[in-house]
Coordinates of all heavy atoms in Angstrom, one line a residue:
V60 N 127.8 40.5 -159.2 CA 128.1 41.5 -160.2 C 127.0 41.8 -161.2 O 126.5 40.8 -161.7 CB 129.4 41.2 -161.0 CG1 129.7 42.2 -162.1 CG2 130.6 41.2 -160.0
G61 N 126.6 43.0 -161.3 CA 125.4 43.4 -162.1 C 124.2 43.6 -161.3 O 123.2 44.3 -161.9
N62 N 124.1 43.1 -160.1 CA 122.9 43.4 -159.3 C 122.7 44.8 -158.9 O 123.7 45.6 -158.7 CB 123.0 42.6 -158.0 CG 122.7 41.1 -158.1 OD1 122.9 40.3 -157.2 ND2 122.2 40.7 -159.3
I63 N 121.5 45.3 -158.8 CA 121.2 46.6 -158.4 C 120.5 46.5 -157.0 O 119.5 45.7 -156.9 CB 120.3 47.4 -159.4 CG1 121.1 47.7 -160.6 CG2 119.8 48.7 -158.8 CD1 120.3 48.3 -161.7
F64 N 120.9 47.2 -156.0 CA 120.3 47.1 -154.7 C 120.3 48.4 -154.0 O 121.0 49.3 -154.4 CB 121.0 46.0 -153.8 CG 122.5 46.4 -153.5 CD1 122.9 46.9 -152.3 CD2 123.5 46.2 -154.5 CE1 124.2 47.2 -152.0 CE2 124.8 46.5 -154.2 CZ 125.2 47.0 -153.0
T65 N 119.4 48.6 -153.0 CA 119.2 49.9 -152.3 C 119.7 49.8 -150.9 O 119.6 48.7 -150.3 CB 117.8 50.4 -152.4 OG1 117.0 49.4 -151.7 CG2 117.3 50.6 -153.8
V66 N 120.2 50.9 -150.4 CA 120.7 51.0 -149.0 C 120.1 52.3 -148.5 O 120.2 53.4 -149.1 CB 122.2 51.1 -149.0 CG1 122.7 51.3 -147.5 CG2 122.9 49.8 -149.5
D67 N 119.4 52.2 -147.3 CA 118.8 53.3 -146.7 C 119.8 54.0 -145.7 O 120.5 53.3 -144.9 CB 117.5 52.9 -146.0 CG 116.4 52.5 -146.9 OD1 116.4 53.0 -148.1 OD2 115.6 51.7 -146.5
I68 N 119.8 55.3 -145.7 CA 120.5 56.1 -144.6 C 119.5 56.3 -143.5 O 118.5 57.1 -143.7 CB 121.0 57.4 -145.1 CG1 122.0 57.2 -146.3 CG2 121.7 58.2 -144.0 CD1 122.4 58.5 -147.0
I69 N 119.7 55.7 -142.4 CA 118.7 55.7 -141.3 C 119.2 56.7 -140.2 O 120.3 56.6 -139.7 CB 118.5 54.4 -140.6 CG1 118.1 53.3 -141.7 CG2 117.5 54.4 -139.5 CD1 116.7 53.6 -142.3
L70 N 118.3 57.7 -139.8 CA 118.6 58.6 -138.7 C 117.8 58.2 -137.5 O 116.6 58.1 -137.6 CB 118.3 60.0 -139.2 CG 118.3 61.1 -138.1 CD1 119.7 61.3 -137.5 CD2 117.8 62.4 -138.6
N71 N 118.5 58.1 -136.4 CA 117.9 57.9 -135.1 C 118.2 59.1 -134.2 O 119.4 59.3 -133.9 CB 118.4 56.6 -134.4 CG 117.7 56.3 -133.1 OD1 117.1 57.1 -132.5 ND2 117.9 55.0 -132.7
T72 N 117.2 59.9 -133.8 CA 117.5 61.1 -133.1 C 117.8 60.9 -131.6 O 118.1 61.8 -130.9 CB 116.3 62.1 -133.3 OG1 115.2 61.6 -132.5 CG2 116.0 62.3 -134.7
G73 N 117.7 59.6 -131.2 CA 117.9 59.4 -129.8 C 116.9 60.0 -128.8 O 117.2 60.2 -127.7
G74 N 115.7 60.2 -129.3 CA 114.7 60.8 -128.5 C 114.6 62.3 -128.5 O 113.6 62.9 -128.0
D75 N 115.6 62.9 -129.1 CA 115.6 64.4 -129.1 C 115.0 64.9 -130.4 O 114.9 64.2 -131.5 CB 117.0 64.9 -129.1 CG 117.5 65.1 -127.6 OD1 116.8 64.6 -126.7 OD2 118.5 65.8 -127.4
A76 N 114.5 66.1 -130.4 CA 113.9 66.8 -131.6 C 115.1 67.4 -132.3 O 116.0 68.1 -131.8 CB 112.9 67.9 -131.2
V77 N 115.1 67.2 -133.6 CA 116.2 67.8 -134.5 C 115.6 68.6 -135.6 O 114.5 68.4 -136.1 CB 117.1 66.7 -135.1 CG1 117.7 65.8 -133.9 CG2 116.3 65.8 -136.0
S78 N 116.3 69.6 -136.0 CA 115.9 70.5 -137.0 C 116.5 70.2 -138.4 O 116.0 70.7 -139.4 CB 116.2 72.0 -136.7 OG 117.6 72.1 -136.5
G79 N 117.6 69.5 -138.4 CA 118.2 69.1 -139.7 C 119.4 68.2 -139.5 O 119.8 67.9 -138.3
A80 N 119.9 67.7 -140.6 CA 121.0 66.8 -140.5 C 121.8 66.8 -141.8 O 121.3 67.1 -142.8 CB 120.5 65.3 -140.2
T81 N 123.1 66.4 -141.6 CA 124.0 66.2 -142.8 C 124.6 64.8 -142.8 O 125.1 64.4 -141.7 CB 125.1 67.2 -142.7 OG1 124.6 68.6 -142.9 CG2 126.1 67.0 -143.9
A82 N 124.4 64.1 -143.8 CA 125.0 62.8 -144.0 C 126.0 62.8 -145.1 O 125.7 63.1 -146.2 CB 123.9 61.7 -144.2
I83 N 127.3 62.5 -144.8 CA 128.3 62.4 -145.8 C 128.9 61.0 -145.8 O 129.3 60.5 -144.7 CB 129.5 63.4 -145.5 CG1 128.9 64.8 -145.4 CG2 130.5 63.3 -146.6 CD1 129.9 65.9 -145.0
L84 N 128.9 60.3 -146.9 CA 129.4 59.0 -147.0 C 130.4 58.8 -148.2 O 130.4 59.6 -149.1 CB 128.3 58.0 -147.2 CG 127.1 58.0 -146.2 CD1 126.0 58.8 -146.8 CD2 126.6 56.6 -146.0
T85 N 131.2 57.8 -148.1 CA 132.1 57.5 -149.1 C 131.9 56.0 -149.5 O 131.5 55.2 -148.7 CB 133.6 57.7 -148.8 OG1 133.9 56.9 -147.6 CG2 133.9 59.1 -148.5
Y86 N 132.1 55.7 -150.8 CA 132.0 54.3 -151.2 C 133.1 53.9 -152.2 O 133.7 54.8 -152.8 CB 130.6 54.1 -151.9 CG 130.3 54.9 -153.1 CD1 130.5 54.4 -154.4 CD2 129.9 56.2 -153.0 CE1 130.3 55.1 -155.5 CE2 129.6 57.0 -154.2 CZ 129.9 56.4 -155.4 OH 129.6 57.2 -156.6
D87 N 133.3 52.7 -152.4 CA 134.3 52.1 -153.3 C 133.9 52.2 -154.7 O 133.0 51.4 -155.2 CB 134.7 50.7 -152.9 CG 135.9 50.1 -153.6 OD1 136.3 50.7 -154.7 OD2 136.4 49.1 -153.2
T88 N 134.4 53.1 -155.5 CA 134.0 53.3 -156.9 C 134.4 52.2 -157.8 O 133.9 52.0 -158.9 CB 134.5 54.6 -157.5 OG1 135.9 54.6 -157.4 CG2 133.9 55.8 -156.7
T89 N 135.4 51.3 -157.4 CA 135.8 50.2 -158.2 C 134.8 49.0 -158.0 O 134.8 48.1 -158.9 CB 137.2 49.7 -157.8 OG1 137.2 49.2 -156.5 CG2 138.2 50.9 -157.9
K90 N 134.0 49.1 -157.0 CA 133.1 48.0 -156.7 C 131.6 48.4 -156.8 O 130.8 47.5 -157.1 CB 133.3 47.4 -155.3 CG 134.7 47.0 -154.9 CD 135.0 45.7 -155.6 CE 136.3 45.1 -155.0 NZ 137.5 46.0 -155.0
L91 N 131.3 49.7 -156.6 CA 129.9 50.1 -156.6 C 129.8 51.4 -157.5 O 130.7 52.2 -157.6 CB 129.5 50.5 -155.2 CG 129.5 49.4 -154.2 CD1 129.3 49.9 -152.8 CD2 128.5 48.3 -154.5
Q92 N 128.5 51.5 -158.0 CA 128.2 52.7 -158.8 C 126.8 53.1 -158.4 O 125.9 52.3 -158.2 CB 128.1 52.3 -160.3 CG 127.6 53.4 -161.2 CD 127.4 53.0 -162.6 OE1 127.3 51.8 -162.9 NE2 127.3 53.9 -163.5

Side-chain angles (χ1 to χ4, degrees):
V60 171
N62 282 173
I63 294 176
F64 62 102
T65 58
V66 176
D67 292 333
I68 302 174
I69 304 298
L70 170 63
N71 184 343
T72 69
D75 272 14
V77 302
S78 58
T81 295
I83 303 174
L84 305 97
T85 59
Y86 63 94
D87 186 346
T88 58
T89 65
K90 305 286 192 307
L91 298 172
Q92 175 188 17

